[in-house]
Amino acid sequence: MTASGIAEQAVQAFTQRERERFLANNPKSRELAERARHSLFGGVPMHWMSDWSTPHPLFVSRAQGARFFDVDGHEYVDFCLGDTGSMFGHSPAPIAKAIAEQGANGLTTMLPGEDAVIAGELLGERFGLPFWQVATTATDANRFVIRWARAITGRKVLLVFDGCYHGTVDDVMVRSRDGHTVHRSGLIGQARNLAKTSRAVPFNDLAALEQALAQGDVAAVLCEPAMTNIGMVLPEPGFMEKLRELTRQYGSLLIIDETHTISTGPGGCTRAWNLRPDFITLGKPIAGGVPCSVYGCTHEMAQAMRIAQQHASEQSHGHGHSGMGTTLSANALAMHCMRANLEQVMTPAAYAHMLPLAARLAEGFRQLIARHGLAWSVTELGARCEFQFCPTPPNNGAAAEAAFHDSLQMALHLYLINRGILITPFHNMTLCCPDTRAADVDRLIATLDQALTELLAMPGARP
C-alpha cells in the first residue's frame, strides 16, 4: 500500500478513464500539441510545460482574473495562478493599463525613470529594508545576492535547506542525504561539484543547522520562511528566530526568499514574523505578472556592498564586471508595472479578500479528508494551502517528499482539469487571488470530494 492509503491499481484505472475523457474533450489542444512537436522541443516552449497530468499540453487562449479559457472553449477556475506569477489574478486592470501606458512610451532604455524611485520607496515601506535593486527573475535576484554575500564575507559556502526552492540557481541544486550534501537527482549538464561550495541541511533541524554554520565558512543561509515546492513545510515555533540568532553568532548572512511566501501578507513573512534578514529576494508576482524581481538589503549590507565594489575596482584597476545584471533588468515596462502593482494591486485589501477564502478552502479540505477516512493532512500559509498524503503536516523536505504519491496526485489533478479547475502541478497546492469567489472554493472542494468518492469506489482501492 502506498503512503496515501490508496492502491496503485485503482489509481491507474481511474487515470485511464480520465485520460480518455480529456482526449475526447480537447481536439484543438491535441491538434496544436501535434503541430508543436515539429518546432518546439518536447512540443512546448519551456520543457516543464509538458509535465502536467494531461495526456498532451492544454493550450490556453486567454486568461482574466481567477479564470482562463483553453483553445477548445472550456472555462477554468484557476487556483494555480501561474504558480504564483499571477498571484493577484490574471491581467489585473491596473497592470493592463500600465502596460498600455508604457507600451507607447518605451519598453527599455538602460536608464532609470521616476517609477524606479517610487517603487524603491514603496518596497522599503512594505518590507522594512531601505535599499533595493531590480532584476528580471527570482533566480537572477538570488544569484546576485549570493555573489554579494560571498564578496562581503569573503566566504564561499552557501547553506540551503533540503528540498528548497530558489529558482534555477546552480548553487541551490543540492539535497541532504544521510548527513551529506549531494546533487539533486535529474540535474543536467552540471560541470562542477556543487557540494564544494553549497551545503544542505534539513529544515527545522537546529542541531544540523548549527553544526553546518559552526564550520565558519558559510557566507549566507538562503531560505524560504516556509518551504513551498517540495510540498509545504512550515517552520516550527522558534525556528526562524533561532536561525537569525545562529547566523549572527557564526558570522553568516541571512537571505530570505519571499517569492512564494509573499502569499502571507503585503510584507510577506519578513514583516509578519519580524525575520530581520540581511537581504530579501522576491520575484514572480511583484510586477503583477510581468517578468520582474527585486532584492533588498539593510543599511549595513549596503555599506558592505560599497566596500566590496571599491575593493573589486581596485583589484581590476578600475575596469571589470560584477557578474550581476542583465540588459533587460529594471526595464521601463517592468518598473511601471511594479509601481502600479505595489500601489493598486498588491494591497492590504487584496489580502483581506484572499486570506479568508484560503482558510475556507483549507477547512474544506480537512473536512472531506475526514469524511473519506484518509490519513492525509492540510498545510496553509496565507493565501496558499495544500493537502498532503501524510497524517500530519511534514516538518522537513524529506518527510514531505516521502508523502508523495505522484500518480495519485496527477490523477486527481486530471479529474479537476476535466471539470474546469486547475491547481498547481507537481504537488497539491492552491492559491486564492482577489478575483477568487467563495463559490469557486466550494466548487473545488465539491469536485475533489466527488473525485475521491469515485476513486475509492473502484475495486481494490483500499486494503
Side-chain angles (χ1 to χ4, degrees):
M1 181 58 62
T2 61
S4 68
I6 300 179
E8 183 63 20
Q9 182 179 352
V11 171
Q12 291 302 322
F14 181 82
T15 299
Q16 183 57 36
R17 187 194 74 184
E18 292 302 315
R19 287 174 64 88
E20 292 170 1
R21 176 169 176 154
F22 180 88
L23 290 169
N25 289 344
N26 295 279
K28 291 185 179 178
S29 273
R30 188 173 187 174
E31 180 182 338
L32 281 174
E34 177 58 29
R35 179 179 167 189
R37 279 195 321 106
H38 302 286
S39 59
L40 299 173
F41 175 73
V44 285
M46 176 55 72
H47 68 86
W48 48 253
M49 289 183 178
S50 63
D51 291 343
W52 289 74
S53 57
T54 53
H56 57 72
L58 182 69
F59 284 80
V60 175
S61 62
R62 62 188 176 90
Q64 179 68 54
R67 283 162 170 72
F68 71 90
F69 298 81
D70 68 21
V71 293
D72 285 285
H74 304 126
E75 179 181 339
Y76 298 81
V77 179
D78 191 359
F79 288 94
C80 173
L81 298 167
D83 193 20
T84 310
S86 294
M87 192 178 85
F88 302 103
H90 297 289
S91 296
I95 303 303
K97 180 182 177 183
I99 291 171
E101 289 171 348
Q102 197 61 41
N105 290 312
L107 302 179
T108 185
T109 61
M110 292 185 72
L111 291 167
E114 184 183 20
D115 288 329
V117 179
I118 294 173
E121 293 168 348
L122 292 170
L123 289 165
E125 292 171 8
R126 186 174 294 248
F127 294 99
L129 280 76
F131 296 108
W132 294 84
Q133 290 281 272
V134 179
T136 304
T137 69
T139 293
D140 284 339
N142 282 320
R143 278 200 306 114
F144 301 160
V145 171
I146 292 167
R147 279 188 175 271
W148 281 121
R150 286 173 169 155
I152 290 167
T153 63
R155 298 175 176 183
K156 295 182 179 180
V157 175
L158 177 73
L159 193 150
V160 296
F161 290 107
D162 181 52
C164 66
Y165 177 65
H166 303 290
T168 54
V169 179
D170 278 7
D171 304 77
V172 307
M173 295 295 169
V174 291
R175 296 296 303 269
S176 176
R177 291 288 183 266
D178 300 320
H180 299 284
T181 298
V182 300
H183 285 190
R184 286 182 58 167
S185 61
L187 191 58
I188 290 175
Q190 184 57 53
R192 63 182 176 87
N193 182 1
L194 297 174
K196 290 184 177 180
T197 53
S198 294
R199 194 170 296 150
V201 299
F203 195 63
N204 281 320
D205 189 334
L206 287 172
L209 172 64
E210 182 162 16
Q211 183 179 30
L213 290 172
Q215 297 179 46
D217 57 356
V218 174
V221 176
L222 172 59
C223 77
E224 307 160 87
M227 301 186 77
T228 58
N229 206 56
I230 192 75
M232 286 175 62
V233 180
L234 301 183
E236 293 178 348
F239 178 74
M240 295 303 296
E241 292 85 349
K242 190 66 176 178
L243 168 61
R244 176 68 282 192
E245 178 185 323
L246 288 171
T247 51
R248 285 179 170 155
Q249 178 180 341
Y250 291 105
S252 302
L253 304 181
L254 177 59
I255 308 165
I256 296 293
D257 184 343
E258 290 270 17
T259 298
H260 276 175
T261 55
I262 192 62
S263 64
T264 307
C269 294
T270 295
R271 264 297 169 85
W273 299 349
N274 189 29
L275 298 181
R276 297 165 293 142
D278 298 296
F279 289 93
I280 183 175
T281 60
L282 173 61
K284 291 194 178 181
I286 194 63
V290 172
C292 187
S293 67
V294 296
Y295 61 96
C297 68
T298 63
H299 283 282
E300 293 79 10
M301 290 302 102
Q303 178 61 21
M305 290 158 71
R306 283 189 282 269
I307 293 171
Q309 278 184 314
Q310 182 179 355
H311 178 70
S313 178
E314 291 170 352
Q315 293 291 102
S316 62
H317 305 290
H319 181 74
H321 197 289
S322 69
M324 291 174 274
T326 57
T327 304
L328 295 179
S329 294
N331 66 75
L333 176 63
M335 299 310 301
H336 196 56
C337 290
M338 179 162 60
R339 173 184 174 179
N341 192 56
L342 291 168
E343 289 180 329
Q344 304 174 59
V345 180
M346 192 175 165
T347 62
Y351 283 94
H353 176 86
M354 296 155 61
L355 270 57
L357 284 178
R360 179 187 184 120
L361 182 53
E363 181 57 28
F365 284 154
R366 291 187 183 99
Q367 290 181 9
L368 75 85
I369 287 168
R371 187 159 55 249
H372 290 285
L374 295 166
W376 299 356
S377 57
V378 177
T379 304
E380 56 183 307
L381 182 71
R384 185 185 307 275
C385 69
E386 177 175 12
F387 61 93
Q388 293 164 288
F389 304 138
C390 49
T392 58
N395 71 342
N396 59 50
E401 188 174 38
F404 284 177
H405 184 170
D406 292 340
S407 58
L408 172 59
Q409 164 208 296
M410 295 184 79
L412 293 174
H413 289 207
L414 181 55
Y415 186 100
L416 293 172
I417 288 171
N418 279 337
R419 289 151 186 84
I421 300 172
L422 191 77
I423 68 174
T424 303
F426 319 129
H427 47 134
N428 300 311
M429 193 165 66
T430 64
L431 269 171
C432 292
C433 77
D435 292 290
T436 305
R437 308 164 189 164
D440 298 332
V441 168
D442 295 344
R443 178 179 164 192
L444 170 53
I445 295 166
T447 306
L448 182 59
D449 193 5
Q450 186 60 35
L452 291 171
T453 298
E454 294 178 25
L455 174 57
L456 292 171
M458 302 197 78
R462 299 211 214 221

